[in-house]
Amino acid sequence: MTTAHTGNYRPGRSAAIRYLVLHYTAGRNDSAQSNLRYFEQNVVKASAHYFVDDLGWMQSVDDGDTAWSVGTAGIYVQKHPECRNENSISIELCCRYATGQYAFSKKTVRNAAQLTRMLMTKYDIPLGNVLRHYDVVSKHCPAPWVDDESQWLAFRKMIVEELDMTKQELLSLADTGDHPSDWAAEAASWAKQMGLIQGDGEGNFGWQQPITREALAVMLHRFSQLQTENA
Ligand SMILES: [Zn+2]
């Protein structure tokens, strides 16, 4: 739900969400909560959808509303041909500040990777459409990832690993037990008896888990062998 002041964003969207844009708050040891409060109480004609800190993330502007985050404001030069406020979600990372430099904590980066991965999945956004503010217009944002390109590359790698992790979690049989749904109980019991579907040897069958193409191929192959044996 949008909490930002109505003077900081435009309700609704005129285009589908296709890009995710990462920013830094340029705050000095700030928090997601303090940023939400700031954009609720001050009219600055600027906003972002999410603020991320060590604890997680908070939403300031709803995904369905247009945050004012990546415009040129008459100051910056447009660099990206397509990414605009209308078709992007903006994510701000809270900052640490010491000796004249901004930095992101490991936890904040990890949380931002999780949020980014979640939004990529939700809106079917490819990694190529995950950008720094700096890639959209000529603004030095997020400073830690413009000053040190390797940190930005490490973040992108983390996103990919997060995606793989989610897939693995989804396909894992661990702790799923042997609990087919009522409507599938008879078929599940038959498939088990026929040896078509085998658990992990520890009583986990993952009846509600999705199935990969290769696992399906193995099941069909087993079935065809049974047909041959019984012929
Ligand atoms: Zn920015």
Side-chain angles (χ1 to χ4, degrees), residues 21-24 69-70 90 92 132-134 139-142:
V21 184
L22 283 301
H23 306 257
Y24 80 135
S69 311
V70 296
S90 273
E92 296 259 4
R132 292 171 297 186
H133 192 180
Y134 175 75
K139 189 181 178 184
H140 203 80
C141 171

Side-chain angles (χ1 to χ4, degrees), residues 13-231:
R13 271 187 191 274
S14 58
I17 297 162
R18 290 175 52 216
Y19 294 93
L20 300 177
V21 184
L22 283 301
H23 306 257
Y24 80 135
T25 57
R28 300 187 174 188
N29 308 317
D30 57 343
S31 69
Q33 178 78 65
S34 67
N35 279 283
L36 250 70
R37 205 178 308 125
Y38 177 81
F39 286 96
E40 192 176 349
Q41 294 174 353
N42 300 278
V43 177
V44 289
K45 294 187 186 302
S47 51
H49 294 91
Y50 294 91
F51 290 88
V52 184
D53 63 15
D54 284 3
L55 299 176
W57 57 80
M58 295 183 77
Q59 186 143 27
S60 177
V61 173
D62 192 85
D63 292 0
D65 291 331
T66 308
W68 292 333
S69 311
V70 296
T72 61
I75 311 167
Y76 308 114
V77 178
Q78 193 78 52
K79 289 165 72 181
H80 196 282
E82 287 174 14
C83 179
R84 299 290 183 271
N85 285 326
E86 287 72 19
N87 60 13
S88 63
I89 287 179
S90 273
I91 301 167
E92 296 259 4
L93 279 71
C94 293
C95 300
R96 298 268 177 275
Y97 183 81
T99 60
Q101 280 215 317
Y102 293 99
F104 297 139
S105 76
K106 274 185 187 161
K107 264 191 187 168
T108 293
V109 171
R110 168 60 67 182
N111 289 337
Q114 273 176 15
L115 172 63
T116 303
R117 177 252 290 167
M118 194 198 81
L119 293 170
M120 284 170 76
T121 307
K122 186 169 182 185
Y123 296 107
D124 198 19
I125 295 171
L127 185 62
N129 287 16
V130 178
L131 306 169
R132 292 171 297 186
H133 192 180
Y134 175 75
D135 302 314
V136 184
V137 300
S138 61
K139 189 181 178 184
H140 203 80
C141 171
W145 291 349
V146 177
D147 294 335
D148 182 1
E149 189 95 8
S150 73
Q151 285 187 38
W152 169 236
L153 295 177
F155 177 73
R156 293 167 68 85
K157 191 160 168 267
M158 197 182 282
I159 294 169
V160 175
E161 282 163 4
E162 285 282 348
L163 276 172
D164 288 346
M165 248 188 283
T166 313
K167 250 184 249 164
Q168 277 163 18
E169 271 166 30
L170 212 56
L171 294 173
S172 166
L173 300 183
D175 299 325
T176 55
D178 184 4
H179 309 289
S181 307
D182 287 346
W183 58 268
E186 193 184 336
S189 161
W190 170 83
K192 229 167 75 173
Q193 267 173 21
M194 301 294 275
L196 293 172
I197 293 187
Q198 293 165 1
D200 62 357
E202 289 172 18
N204 296 306
F205 284 82
W207 291 113
Q208 285 77 29
Q209 303 292 86
I211 187 165
T212 58
R213 285 154 201 258
E214 56 191 9
L216 177 64
V218 168
M219 287 177 199
L220 290 171
H221 187 236
R222 281 182 196 146
F223 187 69
S224 92
Q225 281 183 325
L226 283 174
Q227 299 298 99
T228 319
E229 283 164 24
N230 293 339

